[in-house]
Amino acid sequence: MSEQGEIQIRAACQEDAEKLLEIYRPYVEKTAISFEDTVPAAKEFAGRIARVLTRYPYLVALRRGEPVGYAYAGPFVGRAAYDRAAEVTIYVKEEERKTGVGRRLYERLEAVLKKQNLTNLYACIGVPPEEEDEYLTRNSAQFHAHMGYRLVGEFRKCGYKFGRWYNMVWMERIIKEHKENPDPVIPFSKEML
């Protein structure tokens, strides 16, 4: 567990790419939490941050000025009818797990997404098909359930990593009322934080 210290949350920027990539690296190299099998280059990762920020929040949590986690939203499916839905993603530094960083990031992310007039959030989560192993547990699905997400579907043995097949679940959280005439979606801006 990390040393205690206040957590600050701010919008990420492309210059954060290398430090955020160091948080992400162990998830790619040592786990099946990420289904990527190669760690992206810093330039590619910076491009990902920039693409998200054109419309959605990409948040970074800092403890004593150093990134300890990040969370972001992105398009769900990518068709206009889904504009009020988003897929959410979170990664927390290994030694910062179970310190409240994840909760703080998701609470802030959801608050911003509400201001943008989004209604539905979805998380795509790798899970072991039967028994947990050294690469994948059910911790991420349990975290999302604790945050108010509910299971809406499971795909069997759709991800192959480390010579093993893994399942993937979709979890959903409704964060805002579904109006007959919904408010327009507002692109993300730092003022929403």
Side-chain angles (χ1 to χ4, degrees), residues 4 14 21 46 69 72 75 79 89 95 102 114 121 129 148 154 156 163 170 172 178 180 182 184 186:
Q4 293 303 308
Q14 289 184 13
L21 195 53
Y72 60 93
R79 301 279 194 276
T89 303
E95 58 271 18
K114 280 182 186 178
L121 303 183
E154 183 166 2
R156 309 285 303 163
W170 278 101
E172 173 187 63
H178 292 90
E180 187 173 329
I186 302 166

Side-chain angles (χ1 to χ4, degrees), residues 10 13 68 83 132 139 158 167 170 173-174 189:
R10 64 163 170 78
C13 60
V68 293
D83 279 354
E132 294 182 353
N139 286 349
C158 61
N167 293 0
W170 278 101
R173 178 168 163 78
I174 306 301
S189 70

